[in-house]
Amino acid sequence: ATTYPGVTITDKEIHIVGEGYKPHDAFGLSTKISAITFSTSGSLSTSGSSLEGVESTSTVTINGSSTTNLTNITLKRCFIPYLQSTYAEVLAYNNVLGHVALSTTSLNCAFYNNIFDWAASLFQYGYAQVYLNCSSTSTFSGNHIFKNNIFLTRGSANKMANTFGNSAFSDNI
């Protein structure tokens, strides 16, 4: 299967739709893109964009700025080994995710029906890691929801995050 080179989108809403990371066809070839970045350029943004049915072989980065937040970014049916977000509002559902890093400036992010699997991570910690990047003295700009997800680990490792901030976890396994 071909892996397409990385792409950075900075100035418009765009919808990238692929075959899925485990297509049910005779060939089983997924749509692979190395690194994908949604960002801003001055007052222009990629708000409203979506990524569906794509396998990233590297990182998906969703970075707004302090002057231009990214809103309504949707990730659906993707395989993402590393997801990072700053100044962004993300809805992620039905994905396989490895390492997820939400900064203190991440807005209201929601994760539903995903599989967080350490084997998918670029870092191979031995556990699925959700890293909410804040210290005991910092606070989140938004509230994050994790509902109906599966968190897979291997061995005795049982670390999930350094701190949960204003996050709600419910009905996860």
Side-chain angles (χ1 to χ4, degrees):
T2 300
T3 300
Y4 296 99
V7 60
T8 298
I9 304 140
T10 59
D11 61 352
K12 62 183 67 154
E13 178 181 327
I14 190 164
H15 303 278
I16 300 172
V17 179
E19 178 105 353
Y21 58 88
K22 292 274 188 198
H24 298 289
D25 63 15
F27 305 106
L29 301 176
S30 61
T31 303
K32 293 182 181 181
I33 301 175
S34 61
I36 304 160
T37 301
F38 295 96
S39 64
T40 61
S41 177
S43 63
L44 301 173
S45 81
T46 55
S47 287
S49 294
S50 66
L51 186 64
E52 180 176 348
V54 172
E55 178 179 346
S56 170
T57 59
S58 181
T59 303
V60 173
T61 304
I62 303 169
N63 285 341
S65 69
S66 60
T67 57
T68 308
N69 295 327
L70 292 181
T71 59
N72 300 319
I73 304 294
T74 302
L75 307 173
K76 177 183 176 186
R77 293 187 324 101
C78 294
F79 180 95
I80 301 172
Y82 184 80
L83 171 64
Q84 76 178 43
S85 170
T86 58
Y87 292 106
E89 180 182 282
V90 178
L91 170 62
Y93 61 99
N94 299 337
N95 300 290
V96 174
L97 303 168
H99 182 90
V100 175
L102 302 176
S103 76
T104 56
T105 59
S106 290
L107 304 175
N108 302 318
C109 297
F111 294 85
Y112 297 102
N113 304 324
N114 297 290
I115 297 172
F116 292 83
D117 188 357
W118 77 276
S121 175
L122 293 176
F123 300 109
Q124 299 297 306
Y125 290 121
Y127 48 85
Q129 184 169 25
V130 176
Y131 184 75
L132 304 176
N133 187 13
C134 67
S135 67
S136 60
T137 58
S138 60
T139 58
F140 277 100
S141 299
N143 301 300
H144 307 297
I145 299 170
F146 294 84
K147 185 172 177 131
N148 296 329
N149 298 291
I150 298 172
F151 293 89
L152 300 175
T153 63
R154 306 291 189 271
S156 61
N158 193 19
K159 181 178 179 184
M160 205 166 102
N162 63 330
T163 183
F164 295 110
N166 296 329
S167 297
F169 287 78
S170 66
D171 302 322
N172 297 294
I173 299 174

